Amino acid sequence: MRLVTYRANVLEAARLGAIVDTMVVDLENLGADNGIHLPDNMLDFIDLGPSAIKTATMLLEQNRANWPVGTAVPVQNVKLLAPIPRPRKNIFGIGLNYVEHVEESSRSLDTSADLPKQPIIFTKPPTSVIGPGDAVHHNAKITQQLDWEVELAAIIGTQACRIEEKDALSHVFGYSVMVDMSARDCRRAGQWVYSKGMDTYAPFGPCIITADEIPDPQTLDLWLTVNGEIKQKSNTKFMLFNVAHLIADISAGMTLEPGDIIATGTPAGVGAGRTPQEWLWPGDVIEAHVQGIGTLRHPIVAI
């Protein structure tokens, strides 16, 4: 199931929907038409657990041939927002999680050339999240080194505390696309939070595809372009620490809760690793894609 948060017009509140063919189906309204309660937002839907996915899937299949009045609208007529417009907690980011990115970072960002023995974890605040098509801010007073990183995002569905790796994927609600924007010249004493956590630095979406449709998250192609030119192209099989390992590692010391987001790291091809180095500037456009999920497109805009 392909779940989205959308707004039908600027005067309406954000709503939870499912994309079916070319339509966005409002799940709360579809449930109400069938005498079943479903929530109107993504976080409450995730909180309901696997039963919510089962119920929504059943309703979508039963009504697909004839959507009840007021439940479906063409996707081109709505504004898609970040699937979780305001996460409850900071996003977990994973640094240096692809072999070639470790090498390029050691050349350009003063990080170690040795492969990490444990996942490198940082966070991005909820205020960094933007949705499909929204502008990424370029503040020239703060950075002259705005960089890109395409990533697979894993969204937790059920609480995970001290989970074994073999059980970890059962705690995943679904997957999405995230761009980990970075102001490379804003690292402070080796800390990454400020450089990666600024407003608009976590483009997220365009949907969450439920985990049942991606049984193996380590087989997905991902790529990113700048102004139509390929900059990153790889596959999640090249992660140093796979999704299951990341969940087990984080949950060993920090309880993961429904709605938590893990951005699983980026492959080689970032601007800082190029010769000469390349940075994003106002007027540029980035596109990021993960196989089976979708594409994000964002303009870079001066503020």
Side-chain angles (χ1 to χ4, degrees):
M1 186 163 46
R2 196 171 296 270
L3 296 167
V4 295
T5 297
Y6 77 99
R7 183 177 287 122
N9 61 64
V10 295
L11 299 179
E12 290 190 6
R15 304 280 299 174
L16 171 65
I19 294 181
V20 180
D21 301 322
T22 61
M23 306 296 285
V24 174
V25 183
D26 188 288
L27 289 183
E28 183 188 37
N29 289 343
L30 181 65
D33 195 86
N34 288 269
I36 296 173
H37 172 71
L38 287 174
D40 64 358
N41 68 88
M42 190 74 73
L43 285 173
D44 285 352
F45 187 85
I46 294 172
D47 286 344
L48 290 177
S51 63
I53 295 176
K54 182 177 179 180
T55 299
T57 299
M58 176 194 69
L59 290 175
L60 291 170
E61 291 175 352
Q62 289 178 349
N63 291 272
R64 187 168 187 164
N66 186 22
W67 300 118
V69 174
T71 63
V73 61
V75 66
Q76 67 266 25
N77 292 350
V78 307
K79 164 65 175 173
L80 294 183
L81 309 176
I84 303 174
R86 175 77 184 209
R88 293 178 179 134
K89 292 158 56 177
N90 281 20
I91 297 158
F92 292 93
I94 307 300
L96 305 176
N97 199 28
Y98 287 73
V99 174
E100 292 182 351
H101 183 51
V102 173
E103 191 277 330
E104 72 174 358
S105 294
S106 70
R107 287 186 284 105
S108 56
L109 295 172
D110 301 322
T111 56
S112 174
D114 296 331
L115 297 182
K117 293 181 172 58
Q118 297 173 303
I120 297 171
I121 303 169
F122 62 93
T123 69
K124 298 169 80 80
T127 48
S128 64
V129 170
I130 57 173
D134 292 342
V136 173
H137 294 168
H138 186 285
N139 185 343
K141 294 180 180 179
I142 293 179
T143 182
Q144 296 290 304
Q145 297 183 358
L146 183 61
D147 206 347
W148 58 80
E149 297 186 7
V150 60
E151 311 205 359
L152 171 70
I155 295 86
I156 298 299
T158 55
Q159 181 174 296
C161 179
R162 296 185 290 278
I163 297 302
E164 293 187 24
E165 187 171 334
K166 65 181 179 64
D167 301 319
L169 292 186
S170 68
H171 292 268
V172 176
F173 174 79
Y175 300 94
S176 191
V177 185
M178 184 166 286
V179 185
D180 176 17
M181 303 300 302
S182 304
R184 300 296 189 189
D185 46 358
C186 291
R187 289 174 296 151
R188 297 181 175 181
Q191 298 298 312
W192 299 355
V193 173
Y194 189 74
S195 70
K196 290 176 170 287
M198 296 187 203
D199 294 354
T200 76
Y201 276 23
F204 178 33
C207 68
I208 294 174
I209 187 164
T210 50
D212 58 293
E213 299 203 19
I214 300 183
D216 184 359
Q218 306 308 145
T219 62
L220 307 176
D221 291 332
L222 67 170
W223 52 255
L224 182 141
T225 67
V226 178
N227 302 327
E229 181 181 348
I230 286 282
K231 300 296 183 181
Q232 293 180 281
K233 187 174 184 180
S234 190
N235 187 284
T236 56
K237 69 183 178 182
F238 296 115
M239 286 182 188
L240 285 171
F241 305 106
N242 63 27
V243 175
H245 185 103
L246 295 175
I247 292 170
D249 181 75
I250 295 170
S251 74
M254 293 178 278
T255 298
L256 291 168
E257 299 176 306
D260 283 354
I261 303 165
I262 303 172
T264 59
T266 199
V270 301
R274 295 179 171 272
T275 305
Q277 291 180 323
E278 299 177 15
W279 310 114
L280 293 167
W281 302 100
D284 289 338
V285 175
I286 57 172
E287 287 189 290
H289 178 87
V290 177
Q291 179 184 357
I293 300 173
T295 303
L296 289 172
R297 185 178 189 275
H298 297 272
I300 312 301
V301 175
I303 61 167

